[in-house]
Amino acid sequence: MLLINAGSVAEDGSADGCDVQDWVNFDKAVQDAGIFVSGESLADLVTATSVRVAADGTRTVVDGPFAETREVLGGFYVIDVPDLDVALEWAARCPGALGGGSVVVRPVADFA
């Protein structure tokens, strides 16, 4: 899975170092390569809600993620590639890795 962390996003929706056409091109490349499994862009951060459950079962719900970071999880791609090296190559091609952003590569857990 490629977890896309945007460094900052302008009002026009562009992020540091990339624009909408960069995302269109990356989407097409992933699909054309036959490795696309799923992916989504997430709604604006102001729509986020965090839930925490204490040891006694008490639930607390607050607006926003309030993480101690400037990066914001903006979306994800699930790709099907043979190994980590290939996944890292695709992560480096992702527009989200440009500028102040980053792409975290993690395998999807298989509990079978």
Side-chain angles (χ1 to χ4, degrees):
M1 174 178 271
L2 307 180
L3 298 169
I4 303 158
N5 294 302
S8 65
V9 178
E11 288 184 24
D12 66 359
S14 63
D16 287 342
C18 66
D19 59 27
V20 173
Q21 188 59 47
D22 294 322
W23 287 105
V24 170
N25 295 342
F26 185 72
D27 283 344
K28 183 173 180 351
V30 170
Q31 300 239 1
D32 289 350
I35 63 170
F36 180 80
V37 175
S38 69
E40 294 292 338
S41 177
L42 300 177
D44 192 282
L45 183 62
V46 299
T47 65
T49 304
S50 295
V51 177
R52 297 178 198 267
V53 179
D56 67 0
T58 304
R59 182 178 75 168
T60 304
V61 178
V62 295
D63 291 337
F66 301 113
E68 294 296 324
T69 180
R70 295 182 60 137
E71 293 182 334
V72 175
L73 180 61
F76 67 91
Y77 284 88
V78 177
I79 58 176
D80 185 9
V81 294
D83 56 41
L84 177 61
D85 289 333
V86 175
L88 293 174
E89 289 174 23
W90 280 100
R93 293 176 61 180
C94 181
L98 299 173
S102 68
V103 176
V104 175
V105 177
R106 292 182 62 180
V108 175
D110 180 8
F111 294 107

